[in-house]
Structure formats: C-alpha cells, structure tokens
Amino acid sequence: MIKVFKMINGEEIIAKAEVCELGYKISDPAAIVIQQTEKGVGVGLAPYMPYANSEITLYFTGIASEGTPNVNMENEYNRIFGSGIQIASAGSIQTA
C-alpha cells in the first residue's frame, strides 16, 4: 500500500509501506517538497535516501502522523515509481 508519513522532524515522505514489528518497511520512498511554480506554490517529489540498497525502516517513534495519499499525489508517485497506472477520481468517471 502507498502511504504518506509526517515525521517528527517535519519531513514528509510518500512510499510503498508494510507494517513491521518496529514501524514500517518502506520501498521507493520520496520526500514531498513544497516548491514555487509559475502558478504559485506546488508539490514535488525528491529522492529519499537514494543510496540505500534495501528497504528502509521508518520507526514508529519517528513518525508524527500517517495517512493515505490523495488521488493526485498517488498518481504522481505511480507515474514516477510504479506501473504508471493512474487512478481515476470518482467525479471523472462518466456513464453513457
């Protein structure tokens, strides 16, 4: 499952995550960064611990909060790290 995490140091991370005894084992992590765009303020993804050779453990003691990403964020994450499959929002599905 894809989760977003707010760490106690203020970092925000999105990653594929599985619960383990000490916290979460994450893979393909990315830091969520706020950046200035032509249209104002936007959100971008940056590599998080790109030199790690294996899954990373996020310890429960370092996590301030966690959640499920919204559709736009999950689609962007999947475009970069996943299969490229995007999830349609409920309002975008039309019937004939």
Side-chain angles (χ1 to χ4, degrees):
M1 79 185 117
I2 298 174
K3 305 269 298 174
V4 290
F5 300 94
K6 177 81 167 191
M7 307 305 290
I8 60 172
N9 66 1
E11 287 181 311
E12 293 183 342
I13 300 167
I14 184 169
K16 295 172 190 162
E18 292 183 26
V19 177
C20 68
E21 185 176 325
L22 301 172
Y24 287 90
K25 292 284 186 187
I26 62 169
S27 57
D28 296 327
I32 301 170
V33 293
I34 304 300
Q35 57 189 16
Q36 188 67 37
T37 68
E38 294 173 358
K39 297 178 182 179
V41 178
V43 176
L45 299 178
Y48 182 80
M49 294 183 65
Y51 302 109
N53 285 331
S54 62
E55 290 181 327
I56 298 164
T57 302
L58 289 183
Y59 296 98
F60 288 128
T61 56
I63 299 170
S65 59
E66 63 184 75
T68 303
N70 69 34
V71 171
N72 293 333
M73 180 61 80
E74 188 168 353
N75 284 342
E76 181 63 10
Y77 178 82
N78 282 331
R79 185 184 71 78
I80 296 169
F81 293 101
S83 62
I85 295 173
Q86 296 197 359
I87 302 164
S89 62
S92 67
I93 299 173
Q94 297 180 5
T95 58

